[in-house]
Amino acid sequence: MNIKERAREILAGMTLEEKLGQLNMLYIGMYDNGIDELKKAVRAGDGGSVIIAGSIVPGDGDDTELHKEIAELQRIAVEESPSKIPLLFGRDVIHGHKVVNPIPLAMSASFNFDLIKEAYAETGEEAMCDGINWTFAPMLDMARDPRWGRVIECPGEDPYVGTKVAKAVVEGFQGTEMPYKMAACAKHYIGYGASEGGRDYHRAEISDYSLRNYYTKAFKSAADANVLTVMNSFNEINGQPTTSSKYYLTDILRGELGFDGFVVSDAGAVHQLTRQGVAKDYKDAAGLALNAGLDMEMNRLCFPNLRELIDEGKVTVETVDTAALRIIETKLKLGLFENPYSQHSTFDLNKHLETSRKLAGESVVLLKNKDNILPLDKEAKIALTGPFLHTKRDLLGCWTLDFDLDYVTTIGDAIKAVAPNATEFTALRQYDLKNYDTVVAVLGEAFDITGEAHSVTDISISKAQAEEIHTLKRLGKKIIAVISAGRPLALSEIEEEVDAIVYVWHGGTQTGLAAADVLFGDVCPSGRLPITFPRVTGQIPIFYNCPPSGRLCNGYYSDDLQWTNYEDCLSTPLYPFGYGLSYTEFEYSDMTVSKEKFTLDELKNGIKASVTVSNTGNRDAKEVVQLYIRDLKASYTRPLKELKGTEKLLIEIGKAVTVHFELTDKDLGYFTPHGEYIVEEGEFEIFIGHDSYTENKITVELF
Ligand code: NOJ
């Protein structure tokens, strides 16, 4: 019997009340008497899942207690509840658990999707040890506005990167075959990253043209990787809250993207329909959401009204059956009916720390390296300063619920461990610093300036930190800025004064060690920007895959003075998408394509493009080879560049490697504003190079 048949059989034996129970997520915060009342609710069959938001043990109990309490709740569900259906235990395991990995935006910078998958598989193991069988990740909101606090959680500004991250995270957490290890949740569907002005929870205006060509791509990839659940977003799009939109939740998500699991609401999203002014009351909100295609309510506020709505004929039993079936199928796919309890009790901490250090290292983006001041000599006399020299918590970034600060080495301590002549200074005085030519200044932003409901209006590096740099410059020092942040910061004020910029992000537990690895050359930087770094906040939104304009003011790619975008600022970003330096040099040559003219049928079978990349410098190093396309003439304006392939590979000193890509109709076509996917005849430029500014190209023709 297959999963669908088994689910139907289980459903056939359930009462309506039992089915309705499955559609709720329980939360300990809903109950005055805490865990006892939660157990009572589980025993009564009130929920299909429980969110472990902080801890379910009063006082944020230790891990053994958490694991035990989850097991006890599961025991009650499978032995004492009316339907005996096992529970899902969901938690925000976003970028690590005990071992915290870099923030998701930083992980994207690694462009090492295999390593991301490995890291998430290890994170999943850690979470399973605590009894968690459902995580609310990956977050797949494409974002073009770094003012938005949740930019830390997203894959960046590019849909292609989003598709790769989606697959890596889903497969890392779930595995690739049934029974899946745990359930992942692709969120926040859809358009949350486009919240106007970077204001969290705000409205989004997204045309269907942009929706399908940009925003849904990562969700499609998650669906293709069999993601078991999707969480809807808080925002409205073009006047429709996603929570009550059949168009977004059913027609597009299921009809077009092929998603087959269940949709859970984001916290409070159902009752917030009343505040958004589309539902009269909580009961009305419940009907709107369920009828639109939302299957489970987080926090169980509105869905208890469903019974009444059925009696009134506003919700059908079939609709309830559909939602309950999806939830039961998910539990079957996880093998919970056979093994309701966690199968994991230990994990290999050292291995996970090692993976995390690798990933943190590969996420570091070297933005500037004047006169090859880096890497530093371990014996050099260097001065250390800056407000983030000894921070631990900030390095982890936000959305980390289970971290252990004992695993964290500060950036300052990590540097001092390998460079015995490094000395710290807090006051930056000529006299104190007279014997030091080079200063490493550790700058950045605190972990709680990013995250949910933590947006900002100005992404500039803080005034106080800029002042420190001005002082060091006046003192004639060579300055290496190490920056730990959760978003792109606008660095114009210090960029010219510093000799090097090493962007280490909120790189997780291993940020400090990874920063030292890069500073002293044990690791050659190989991170590339997954999001544009503007010069100033006022350039936002600024993103690489922008369309051309009639007056050639394609601000991203040229500072043309006649058609400038701004009177008070250059048009180009400070650092473009895909950008990042290395300690070696890479040379691109011999770009080829298998055919310069081809028919649609030939394209369907794939046309090949290749390039030779040589390491002409003096270090073995990893390069991220990037393939972009441009459709030169189409029925609708098309982006000046669109990323369609990346390959990260290690190239030894003096060696040359030929890198191969394949393009098909899936790469060269696009969705019209009416939702039709078309591939149009004409010329396309194919670029292969080091970043989005590459001009290394061949023009091909589809006829
Ligand atoms: C609200 C957030 O938007 C979402 O990302 C998270 O998973 C839920 N709360 C649960 O904590």
Side-chain angles (χ1 to χ4, degrees):
M1 205 187 302
N2 67 29
I3 296 273
K4 292 218 180 280
E5 288 164 355
R6 271 191 76 192
R8 286 219 158 271
E9 194 182 73
I10 293 167
L11 191 87
M14 290 167 75
T15 63
L16 181 56
E17 293 308 326
E18 288 168 16
K19 294 173 192 172
L20 287 168
Q22 287 300 306
L23 316 193
N24 300 305
M25 180 186 287
L26 306 179
Y27 169 46
I28 194 165
M30 293 166 15
Y31 306 107
D32 293 340
N33 294 325
I35 190 81
D36 292 336
E37 231 175 311
L38 176 62
K39 286 178 183 166
K40 225 164 104 193
V42 169
R43 195 170 285 115
D46 285 350
S49 69
V50 175
I51 181 172
I52 315 295
S55 171
I56 52 165
V57 183
D60 215 20
D62 72 31
D63 309 340
T64 25
E65 292 301 309
L66 176 62
H67 184 259
K68 271 201 236 151
E69 289 291 10
I70 288 181
E72 174 58 7
L73 286 167
Q74 191 68 301
R75 189 200 63 73
I76 294 172
V78 298
E79 291 179 12
E80 298 174 14
S81 78
S83 70
K84 315 261 181 303
I85 294 183
L87 290 166
L88 288 166
F89 294 95
R91 185 163 179 81
D92 288 289
V93 181
I94 307 295
H95 58 105
H97 193 64
K98 299 286 182 244
V99 174
V100 180
N101 290 316
I103 54 166
L105 184 61
M107 281 197 232
S108 290
S110 77
F111 279 85
N112 188 338
F113 305 109
D114 291 337
L115 189 55
I116 293 175
K117 178 172 164 178
E118 192 181 326
Y120 272 100
E122 292 178 356
T123 293
E125 252 180 54
E126 293 177 24
M128 284 185 275
C129 287
D130 278 348
I132 308 299
N133 56 19
W134 183 19
T135 171
F136 304 131
M139 191 276 217
L140 300 174
D141 299 316
M142 194 191 85
R144 294 164 164 176
D145 193 335
R147 290 172 297 183
W148 189 45
R150 302 198 78 167
V151 75
I152 78 118
E153 283 175 73
C154 83
E157 76 188 30
D158 177 62
Y160 173 83
V161 174
T163 61
K164 301 299 273 188
V165 167
K167 183 170 160 60
V169 181
V170 170
E171 292 186 355
F173 273 132
Q174 294 191 173
T176 49
E177 34 186 82
M178 287 193 269
Y180 293 111
K181 296 188 281 182
M182 67 189 295
C185 181
K187 72 185 189 185
H188 309 82
Y189 180 84
I190 182 99
Y192 187 27
S195 300
E196 216 172 52
R199 292 190 278 275
D200 212 355
Y201 315 124
H202 211 57
R203 70 193 280 271
E205 194 84 41
I206 305 175
S207 67
D208 275 7
Y209 184 54
S210 293
L211 187 85
R212 293 190 177 88
N213 287 311
Y214 298 111
Y215 290 91
T216 54
K217 296 259 173 174
F219 287 91
K220 167 88 177 98
S221 168
D224 289 346
N226 297 318
V227 70
L228 292 175
T229 70
V230 161
M231 185 186 293
N232 88 298
S233 59
F234 292 119
N235 55 281
E236 62 150 273
I237 303 178
N238 311 341
Q240 287 189 59
T242 65
T243 317
S244 58
S245 168
K246 179 175 167 296
Y247 179 60
Y248 293 117
L249 288 185
T250 299
D251 301 352
I252 296 187
L253 181 62
R254 296 186 185 278
E256 294 183 22
L257 308 184
F259 172 64
D260 186 34
F262 76 82
V263 179
V264 62
S265 77
D266 200 344
V270 181
H271 81 262
Q272 285 163 21
L273 286 173
T274 59
R275 296 195 200 140
Q276 285 172 299
V278 298
K280 188 163 79 223
D281 49 28
Y282 286 8
K283 187 166 113 185
D284 195 21
L288 287 173
L290 190 81
N291 285 333
L294 195 137
D295 305 299
M296 180 184 279
E297 184 190 18
M298 192 182 284
N299 296 356
R300 195 179 183 266
L301 265 181
C302 304
F303 274 23
N305 293 298
L306 287 173
R307 179 73 227 220
E308 233 175 276
L309 287 166
I310 295 170
D311 295 342
E312 290 166 12
K314 294 190 177 134
V315 161
T316 64
V317 173
E318 288 71 46
T319 309
V320 172
D321 281 358
T322 304
L325 269 176
R326 290 173 182 154
I327 293 164
I328 294 166
E329 278 170 22
T330 302
K331 294 176 177 183
L332 286 166
K333 289 178 183 171
L334 286 165
L336 289 182
F337 286 84
E338 292 74 27
N339 288 310
Y341 304 101
S342 172
Q343 307 299 301
H344 280 265
S345 54
T346 55
F347 63 90
D348 186 341
L349 175 64
N350 287 331
K351 180 164 175 285
H352 294 193
L353 285 168
E354 201 183 302
T355 309
S356 195
R357 184 168 179 171
K358 255 195 247 164
L359 188 50
E362 291 209 20
S363 304
V364 172
V365 187
L366 180 64
L367 295 175
K368 181 172 181 181
N369 193 16
K370 192 172 158 204
D371 301 330
N372 292 328
I373 186 170
L374 293 176
L376 294 168
D377 188 321
K378 288 183 183 160
E379 298 307 318
K381 273 185 76 125
I382 43 176
L384 306 178
T385 191
F388 292 90
L389 190 60
H390 279 302
T391 173
K392 281 191 174 186
R393 176 65 191 88
D394 291 317
L395 301 180
L396 303 181
C398 62
W399 264 135
T400 48
L401 301 174
D402 300 273
F403 58 83
D404 186 337
L405 287 180
D406 287 349
Y407 302 156
V408 183
T409 309
T410 67
I411 296 179
D413 286 343
I415 292 176
K416 286 196 292 183
V418 289
N421 299 321
T423 309
E424 290 177 25
F425 294 89
T426 31
L428 303 177
R429 286 184 295 247
Q430 176 77 312
Y431 180 79
D432 298 332
L433 291 170
K434 65 181 180 301
N435 295 322
Y436 295 84
D437 290 336
T438 306
V439 180
V440 173
V442 185
L443 313 174
E445 63 178 357
F447 81 95
D448 53 0
I449 296 209
T450 49
E452 187 176 345
H454 287 77
S455 297
V456 294
T457 60
D458 186 0
I459 62 163
S460 309
I461 186 114
S462 79
K463 286 265 167 279
Q465 294 180 50
E467 268 316 312
E468 276 196 28
I469 298 297
H470 300 332
T471 305
L472 290 169
K473 188 67 188 170
R474 273 198 303 276
L475 297 178
K477 304 300 168 194
K478 292 213 163 74
I479 308 165
I480 293 156
V482 174
I483 301 182
S484 170
R487 58 159 63 81
L489 293 178
L491 301 171
S492 293
E493 193 172 342
I494 62 165
E495 200 264 346
E496 280 185 16
E497 293 182 351
V498 299
D499 295 271
I501 303 177
V502 184
Y503 217 80
V504 301
W505 311 94
H506 290 152
T509 304
Q510 301 288 60
T511 317
L513 298 176
D517 288 342
V518 169
L519 285 171
F520 296 96
D522 291 329
V523 166
C524 188
S526 63
R528 305 289 182 257
L529 295 180
I531 189 164
T532 299
F533 274 45
R535 295 172 189 276
V536 295
T537 307
Q539 282 181 305
I540 297 169
I542 180 168
F543 49 93
Y544 89 96
N545 45 4
C546 50
S549 91
R551 288 221 158 174
L552 298 181
C553 47
N554 304 323
Y556 199 93
Y557 294 96
S558 134
D559 284 315
D560 185 309
L561 288 179
Q562 189 185 357
W563 300 115
T564 183
N565 288 152
Y566 300 108
E567 291 296 339
D568 59 351
C569 180
L570 291 174
S571 300
T572 49
L574 189 59
Y575 301 113
F577 177 84
Y579 173 84
L581 304 173
S582 171
Y583 292 153
T584 194
E585 299 292 321
F586 297 108
E587 225 174 73
Y588 282 71
S589 62
D590 302 327
M591 182 172 165
T592 65
V593 287
S594 54
K595 270 181 181 295
E596 291 196 5
K597 284 179 179 242
F598 44 86
T599 62
L600 185 55
D601 275 344
E602 287 169 328
L603 177 64
K604 281 188 178 147
N605 290 325
I607 58 158
K608 298 191 172 39
S610 72
V611 78
T612 299
V613 189
S614 317
N615 181 344
T616 56
N618 53 11
R619 259 161 210 280
D620 296 346
K622 287 189 175 175
E623 168 67 325
V624 179
V625 183
Q626 302 168 34
L627 182 147
Y628 297 86
I629 63 151
R630 177 175 176 194
D631 185 347
L632 285 171
K633 189 198 132 328
S635 301
Y636 297 88
T637 61
R638 302 297 305 138
L640 288 163
K641 291 237 168 79
E642 273 186 289
L643 188 67
K644 293 293 176 183
T646 61
E647 187 74 44
K648 185 167 195 175
L649 68 167
L650 178 73
I651 310 179
E652 290 168 14
I653 305 171
K655 292 273 164 59
V657 178
T658 300
V659 184
H660 300 275
F661 293 97
E662 190 172 272
L663 294 166
T664 68
D665 55 324
K666 296 208 170 66
D667 301 300
L668 298 196
Y670 63 96
F671 288 97
T672 69
H674 318 291
E676 186 195 355
Y677 187 80
I678 56 170
V679 191
E680 294 185 300
E681 290 178 357
E683 288 186 325
F684 293 82
E685 289 175 333
I686 300 175
F687 301 81
I688 309 182
H690 177 79
D691 58 34
S692 60
Y693 273 13
T694 180
E695 281 303 327
N696 186 35
K697 67 177 181 198
I698 291 181
T699 305
V700 297
E701 190 184 340
L702 173 65
F703 67 97

